[in-house]
Amino acid sequence: TRARRDLRRIEFFQGTLDSTSEITDARIFDTTLRDGEQSPRTSFNYEDKREIAAVLDEMGTHVIEAGFPVNSDAEFEAVRDIAEASHVTTCGLARVVEKDIEAALDSGVDMVHTFVSTSDVQLQDSMHATRQEALASAVESVERIKEAGAECMFSPMDATRTSEDFLIEVIEETSEAGADWINIPDTCGVATPRRFYDLIEIVDSHTDAFIDVHTHDDFGFASANAISGFEAGASQSQVSVNGIGERAGNAAYEEVVMALESLYDVNTGIDTTRITELSRLVEEKSDIPVPANKPIVGRNAFSHESGIHAAGVIENSDTFEPGVMTPEMVGAERELVLGKHTGAHSVRERLVDAGYAPTDAEVREVTRRVKEFGAEKQQVTMSELERFAQEVGVDEESE
Ligand code: KIV
Ligand code: ZN
């Protein structure tokens, strides 16, 4: 499949990808169990967390942020047991305070992700701290984590609304203190892809640490900004399954992974064929329904109803699908839906699949009934189709 996909990519994109859009290095940091769990009205219990983490681990997700260990005993136990069971890197969140960092270290995670607000609005009205106080606790926290021998990620929270001079000062000093990763959070989702690209380029010129990005979806740019981050030199993006998370959520795991794999030729090493299964699991455990039109994992992502589209797809699925991404690649199935917009092609195909041998006139009459029924906002199921076939007198195929 890879060779076939490569060939398709060449056909589709020859000459259109310029060197600035190349991505060579791309890792996935999943925060479903941390930022995802911060979705309003959502919480995961111990078993939910273990089950989701196990699938993320089996799929080869590079980092699993298992939670916020200082939050409660139950959270600590879940993070500790995920850290023990996982084969991939595990991470725990900690504010820049000693008890958070100690709890994260004690949980046994490989990486501690510590963060502090750096924008003036958050420093004044959320943290009630000065820039210098925030900077001092950030540096001290990074040093503490590194002294304990853990991998350290530092986040200047609200980076995209932080004054550039102060952001650079914080990044330089925390990098100097030994941070392995500098994460750039677009905490309130205000970055645009172009601006985020420029910011990551600036960050890159002020640190030798690896760069990670954390993008929120308040304006619907989270996944686009994650990709911009990679294009500008970030090595890792924080994502959540189905894009769940604070407010409008985070960059979606499935969108970022599939864009990297299908549009940028990056082999993430992740088993993408389990994406649909993972999405359904998180949908059930989070109690946040996936919209039908959600890219990759929505019920309509590989469904076709309109006559022109369905007829094209029956002949060659590349006509009205991306081509470089197929339902099989994400463990989903293509569906031809019957309704108001259905054409004779789909009706014939479905009747033949169900064992009928319709004439052209019969196909036309069944199609008319399907459209009429669908126009009344009614779902045309297979049993409805068979009822129409019988009313019209379509013969069953002889053995
Ligand atoms: O959105 C944010 O800034 C966060 C931080 C903890 C990285 O979730
Ligand atoms: Zn966040």
Side-chain angles (χ1 to χ4, degrees):
T1 21
R2 192 148 192 105
R4 196 160 141 245
R5 195 157 23 111
D6 286 348
L7 189 69
R8 286 175 163 180
R9 185 175 295 108
I10 290 161
E11 283 166 10
F12 280 49
F13 290 117
Q14 204 161 34
T16 63
L17 281 178
D18 61 32
S19 57
T20 57
S21 60
E22 269 173 24
I23 298 173
T24 49
D25 188 13
R27 292 163 50 91
I28 297 297
F29 176 113
D30 182 87
T31 185
T32 308
L33 301 176
R34 201 279 296 167
D35 206 313
E37 196 192 21
Q38 288 173 218
S39 303
R41 294 173 282 273
T42 291
S43 82
F44 296 127
N45 63 26
Y46 176 89
E47 282 77 26
D48 296 340
K49 285 205 162 203
R50 291 295 307 271
E51 239 180 283
I52 294 168
V55 178
L56 288 166
D57 182 33
E58 284 162 20
M59 288 173 68
T61 310
H62 305 97
V63 185
I64 300 174
E65 189 170 41
F68 190 22
V70 81
N71 173 274
S72 61
D73 289 347
E75 177 78 349
F76 179 87
E77 281 161 24
V79 175
R80 180 197 60 202
D81 294 352
I82 289 169
E84 171 139 26
S86 300
H87 304 89
V88 300
T89 301
T90 52
C91 177
L93 186 71
R95 290 167 297 182
V96 287
V97 292
E98 189 177 345
K99 71 175 165 103
D100 287 32
I101 293 170
E102 291 311 318
L105 291 168
D106 289 348
S107 72
V109 291
D110 306 294
M111 179 193 288
V112 178
H113 172 194
T114 191
F115 70 100
V116 68
S117 297
T118 50
S119 68
D120 289 336
V121 62
Q122 290 194 357
L123 282 170
Q124 277 160 34
D125 294 334
S126 165
M127 295 284 299
H128 307 293
T130 64
R131 286 184 178 184
Q132 286 322 306
E133 284 164 347
L135 176 58
S137 32
V139 169
E140 196 185 314
S141 299
V142 169
E143 284 170 352
R144 192 185 296 278
I145 294 163
K146 289 314 297 173
E147 271 160 26
E151 202 173 337
C152 176
M153 173 180 283
F154 171 71
S155 292
M157 186 154 79
D158 209 10
T160 49
R161 296 191 305 176
T162 297
S163 99
E164 198 174 302
D165 288 350
F166 184 51
L167 184 64
I168 290 169
E169 189 182 349
V170 172
I171 288 165
E172 285 182 344
E173 296 222 10
T174 49
S175 303
E176 188 93 343
D180 303 288
W181 289 89
I182 297 292
N183 174 41
I184 299 299
D186 181 27
T187 304
C188 295
V190 295
T192 57
R194 180 61 192 259
R195 283 189 169 183
F196 201 58
Y197 182 100
D198 291 345
L199 179 63
I200 299 306
E201 273 201 325
I202 292 169
V203 170
D204 200 14
S205 64
H206 289 276
T207 181
D208 288 333
F210 293 111
I211 299 174
D212 175 283
V213 294
H214 176 101
T215 53
H216 275 279
D217 211 27
D218 299 69
F219 287 91
F221 288 147
S223 296
N225 284 340
I227 295 294
S228 266
F230 279 126
E231 287 187 344
S235 306
Q236 185 164 276
S237 164
Q238 302 199 356
V239 298
S240 66
V241 179
N242 301 335
I244 64 170
E246 293 273 6
R247 306 178 311 281
N250 293 81
Y253 183 111
E254 59 279 5
E255 294 171 15
V256 175
V257 170
M258 291 315 295
L260 289 170
E261 291 269 343
S262 301
L263 301 175
Y264 288 86
D265 203 15
V266 172
N267 183 0
T268 61
I270 290 174
D271 179 1
T272 64
T273 64
R274 295 188 67 185
I275 279 182
T276 302
E277 171 198 343
L278 176 67
S279 163
R280 302 287 186 269
L281 177 67
V282 171
E283 179 179 39
E284 182 203 323
K285 303 294 186 193
S286 65
D287 224 359
I288 302 177
V290 173
N293 63 334
K294 181 109 177 108
I296 328 272
V297 292
R299 205 170 68 244
N300 291 352
F302 299 99
S303 293
H304 308 271
E305 181 181 314
S306 94
I308 295 173
H309 285 225
V313 163
I314 288 168
E315 215 162 302
N316 173 1
S317 60
D318 289 5
T319 51
F320 290 101
E321 285 181 9
V324 286
M325 175 176 68
T326 64
E328 295 77 28
M329 285 164 71
V330 296
E333 279 176 21
R334 179 173 300 111
E335 205 188 343
L336 297 181
V337 178
L338 298 172
K340 179 182 171 185
H341 305 103
T342 296
H345 246 82
S346 288
V347 169
R348 177 183 297 283
E349 174 104 348
R350 298 294 284 269
L351 286 172
V352 170
D353 281 353
Y356 291 93
T359 63
D360 288 352
E362 286 166 348
V363 168
R364 276 198 299 278
E365 178 52 22
V366 174
T367 305
R368 193 188 66 72
R369 290 177 188 227
V370 166
K371 284 171 168 293
E372 203 174 85
F373 197 77
E376 294 303 319
K377 294 189 192 286
Q378 310 214 54
Q379 170 106 42
V380 186
T381 61
M382 248 348 251
S383 62
E384 228 67 60
L385 185 73
E386 295 209 32
R387 179 164 67 78
F388 296 146
Q390 279 149 22
E391 284 170 4
V392 170
V394 181
D395 284 338
E396 296 201 15
E397 197 146 29
S398 49
E399 292 294 304

